[in-house]
Amino acid sequence: CDSVARARVEGFDDLQKVLRGLMEPEGMAIKAVNEAAPLLEKSLRKNVKAAANRTRKNGKPYSTGALEKSIIATPAKKNQYGVFSVVKPNGVDERGMSNSYKLNILEHGTHSFKNNQEPRPVLQKSVNEVRQECEQKVQEAINDAVNKLW
């Protein structure tokens, strides 16, 4: 029997390009995290504003809004655990107090002889509010990046 089987494969170059792109997912992950982080930043600002927006015994507002305004999302970075962004207060207030320290007091409260401030947790509340939206944003960014490989 002298018959010969032949096959022609097309599209291998495209497939190879996609596979090569998928071998280096760091760029996709960084873009995805950078798109999702502002959602958490906005949620945390809103919750800090609501938790700190109260009045003192003398009727004056307790919050100046400086803590809320200091909250930022850092650009995405990669470490041994993966790609991440940190949403946190930055800098100090007009009296030189760290905004991170002020958020800690807001979150956990204080206990002393003179002042007791009850905890007003905002961190987990903020994460819970935007978790699904962030996951969706990350998935969309990754899907877009993979679709561009084709």
Side-chain angles (χ1 to χ4, degrees), residues 15 28 45 74 77 88 94:
L15 179 60
M28 283 185 235
R45 282 184 178 176
T74 65
K77 299 175 201 148
K88 63 183 179 102
E94 69 279 355

Side-chain angles (χ1 to χ4, degrees), residues 6-57:
R6 293 180 191 230
R8 182 176 176 167
V9 178
E10 292 184 21
F12 184 72
D13 291 340
D14 291 338
L15 179 60
Q16 188 178 19
K17 177 183 167 191
V18 170
L19 292 174
R20 213 177 291 125
L22 293 175
M23 287 173 53
E24 297 187 23
E26 183 178 318
M28 283 185 235
I30 287 173
K31 184 175 187 241
V33 169
N34 280 333
E35 289 186 20
L39 299 172
L40 180 56
E41 179 182 320
K42 182 179 177 182
S43 177
L44 184 56
R45 282 184 178 176
K46 174 188 69 106
N47 288 322
V48 164
K49 180 178 182 176
N53 192 16
R54 55 191 197 279
T55 55
R56 298 173 193 249
K57 292 177 185 174

Side-chain angles (χ1 to χ4, degrees), residues 53-85:
N53 192 16
R54 55 191 197 279
T55 55
R56 298 173 193 249
K57 292 177 185 174
N58 63 8
K60 291 184 179 181
Y62 182 81
S63 174
T64 65
L67 176 58
E68 169 198 344
K69 291 174 189 156
S70 77
I71 295 170
I72 60 159
T74 65
K77 299 175 201 148
K78 182 179 185 278
N79 67 9
Q80 68 268 24
Y81 303 108
V83 176
F84 67 96
S85 174

